[in-house]
Amino acid sequence: MQIAVPKEIKNHEYRVALTPTGARELVGRGHRVTIQAGAGEGAGFHDAAYEAAGAHLEADVAKVWSEAELILKVKEPQAEEVARLSAGQTLFTYLHLAAEQTLTRGLMKSGATCIAYETVTDRQGGLPLLAPMSTVAGRMAVQAGAHSLEKAQGGAGVLLPGVPGVAPAKVAVIGGGVVGENAARMALGLGAEVTVLDTSIPRLETLDDRYQGRMKTVFSTADAIDEAVRECDLIVGAVLIPGAAAPKLITREMLAEMKPGSVLVDVAIDQGGCFETSRATTHTDPTYLVDGIVHYCVANMPGAVARTSTQALTNATMPFVAALADKGWKQALADDPHFAAGLNIHDGRVTYQAVADAFGLESVDPASLVK
Ligand SMILES: NC(=O)C1=CN([C@@H]2O[C@H](COP(=O)(O)OP(=O)(O)OC[C@H]3O[C@@H](n4cnc5c(N)ncnc54)[C@H](O)[C@@H]3O)[C@@H](O)[C@H]2O)C=CC1
Ligand SMILES: CC(=O)C(=O)O
Ligand SMILES: [Mg+2]
């Protein structure tokens, strides 16, 4: 199969969808791999390493896209990338469609088969292709939050761990999944007072057991969120309803209850964000103030630590990439219902219920397409 890996073009996105190790694996299986020249540079994977792995380098981006049967990316396609996609091609990448109607319509119009990393499932009920980047983003959320609490960033001037004689900061993490656990763990490590809110009792049990009560676990209700808003210096938004737009859990009105200079880090921004006042920002200009509250809403946080993130992401995606390349999308998805859960769009139709619901569209059951 002809496989292409374009250079990512989102703001400060340095990840690449395939490492030289992955390229070697695919070439060894008899596939032709084209890497856009420079695609791996930002992650420390140089053109020469891809060439040594047997991949073909192509400087012309139009050719990279037009000659491919399977396109591997990291971030959701930007407008100029959607325009390059055509019927008969398969795209495998993060899509986050429920937050992006224009992108959804554009991909439908392309006629391509679009498989999203973030909705592929596993036997344990997890999201194996989201989890590695959620681990990265969760860990980064506390670094970003701590920095944002500094005066120069508009923050209250609070040091997360405090000092002897001055109490540590209070951190709340809303959503105790992969992002939430990693954020809470980092905040604990820095000496903050940490509370995790989740609507899943089994998840709260796991966290309580794993951290032996060192982080408080609270069932997530409107009252519990009100309390966190009044008390905390830093709140991390980490909720997810797979494939769906994030619920808005903190409204603009509630910001008035927060201490001035408190910080909201909305990691769920890629699914539209879980705070009413969140809007996606970039690594170039990551924060803004609303009513004296600092908002950090970068939708591609792991892109900033591209070396670590690329390795973690491709470790997880590689078996799925190999299946797509060896068998074609139809057979690969037919053989694995967890992989089939990744299909979001095929031939102009939405194949993921939560995405269809977000925009009032009809959804087609992916199982009916791959039989
Ligand atoms: N901004 C970025 O760069 C990145 C963003 N993300 C995003 O972070 C979000 C979280 O991802 P994961 O942690 O992997 O998901 P996850 O599925 O592991 O965890 C989500 C948690 O939210 C909980 N939840 C759902 N509704 C809730 C509510 N109303 N109150 C409290 N908890 C609630 C669920 O029970 C679950 O435990 C996703 O939107 C993901 O796409 C992930 C990686 C990078
Ligand atoms: C999951 C996601 O949005 C990212 O890694 O950028
Ligand atoms: Mg986006």
Side-chain angles (χ1 to χ4, degrees), residues 10 75-76 78 95-96 99-100 103 269-271 280 299:
K10 194 170 172 128
K75 286 311 287 184
E76 72 279 358
Q78 310 296 294
L95 290 174
H96 304 294
E100 295 257 11
L103 175 60
I269 190 67
D270 56 354
Q271 293 291 145

Side-chain angles (χ1 to χ4, degrees), residues 1-370:
M1 185 176 287
Q2 174 65 46
I3 302 163
V5 181
K7 183 171 164 61
E8 294 295 318
I9 58 172
K10 194 170 172 128
N11 180 282
H12 281 281
E13 182 52 73
Y14 302 105
R15 285 172 288 180
V16 61
L18 190 73
T19 61
T21 305
R24 181 176 167 181
E25 175 86 18
L26 293 174
V27 170
R29 288 163 176 265
H31 304 293
R32 181 176 155 85
V33 176
T34 298
I35 308 283
Q36 186 177 343
E41 291 294 328
F45 296 112
H46 304 296
D47 286 352
Y50 287 103
E51 255 180 336
H56 167 74
L57 288 168
E58 176 59 66
D60 181 351
V61 59
K63 269 195 186 163
V64 171
W65 281 81
S66 66
E67 290 173 1
E69 294 167 86
L70 169 62
I71 296 150
L72 305 176
K73 269 183 51 61
V74 178
K75 286 311 287 184
E76 72 279 358
Q78 310 296 294
E80 65 181 84
E81 295 177 316
V82 175
R84 295 190 192 281
L85 200 57
S86 55
Q89 293 184 314
T90 300
L91 172 69
F92 191 34
T93 189
Y94 286 118
L95 290 174
H96 304 294
L97 294 181
E100 295 257 11
Q101 172 143 219
T102 309
L103 175 60
T104 304
R105 301 260 180 203
L107 293 180
M108 289 169 74
K109 206 171 147 215
S110 76
T113 299
C114 304
I115 307 170
Y117 293 158
E118 74 275 7
T119 62
V120 172
T121 54
D122 65 20
R123 283 201 193 99
Q124 291 74 43
L127 302 166
L129 304 188
L130 183 61
M133 295 304 93
S134 292
T135 302
V136 171
R139 292 178 183 201
M140 287 181 74
V142 172
Q143 287 180 195
H147 184 61
S148 300
L149 275 167
E150 293 174 11
K151 288 300 288 183
Q153 315 307 319
V158 168
L159 182 67
L160 276 189
V163 292
V166 180
K170 290 187 178 170
V171 175
V173 179
I174 310 179
V178 180
V179 167
E181 178 176 2
N182 281 282
R185 188 176 148 182
M186 288 288 280
L188 263 190
L190 282 174
E193 192 183 313
V194 182
T195 303
V196 179
L197 297 90
D198 204 299
T199 44
S200 160
I201 298 283
R203 189 61 193 160
L204 294 176
E205 282 170 354
T206 300
L207 294 176
D208 183 63
D209 191 42
R210 214 170 263 173
Y211 296 91
Q212 295 291 297
R214 284 183 294 130
M215 53 179 79
K216 279 194 264 178
T217 58
V218 171
F219 187 68
S220 181
T221 59
D223 273 349
I225 292 173
D226 274 343
E227 191 176 327
V229 160
R230 282 195 303 272
E231 292 192 350
C232 289
D233 303 284
L234 167 61
I235 299 182
V236 176
V239 303
L240 176 65
I241 297 157
K248 304 291 179 211
L249 300 176
I250 295 182
T251 61
R252 176 156 195 174
E253 244 181 3
M254 291 161 79
L255 299 189
E257 303 291 316
M258 296 185 80
K259 291 181 268 183
S262 300
V263 173
L264 296 176
V265 174
D266 198 344
V267 185
I269 190 67
D270 56 354
Q271 293 291 145
C274 60
F275 310 134
E276 188 189 6
T277 44
S278 296
R279 57 173 168 79
T281 58
T282 63
H283 287 292
T284 301
D285 190 10
T287 60
Y288 60 93
L289 285 167
V290 178
D291 300 341
I293 305 303
V294 185
H295 291 57
Y296 175 101
C297 306
V298 175
N300 61 332
M301 293 172 72
V305 288
R307 179 84 184 169
T308 303
S309 298
T310 293
Q311 292 176 87
L313 177 63
T314 56
N315 284 344
T317 54
M318 197 54 213
F320 295 91
V321 168
L324 281 178
D326 290 351
K327 306 178 189 177
W329 73 271
K330 214 173 226 189
Q331 192 60 48
L333 270 48
D335 288 351
D336 180 356
H338 292 291
F339 197 4
L343 188 65
N344 275 229
I345 287 184
H346 170 65
D347 196 16
R349 291 182 292 177
V350 174
T351 56
Y352 198 87
Q353 190 67 52
V355 173
D357 290 348
F359 307 123
L361 296 165
E362 289 280 301
S363 162
V364 181
D365 181 359
S368 70
L369 298 171
V370 300

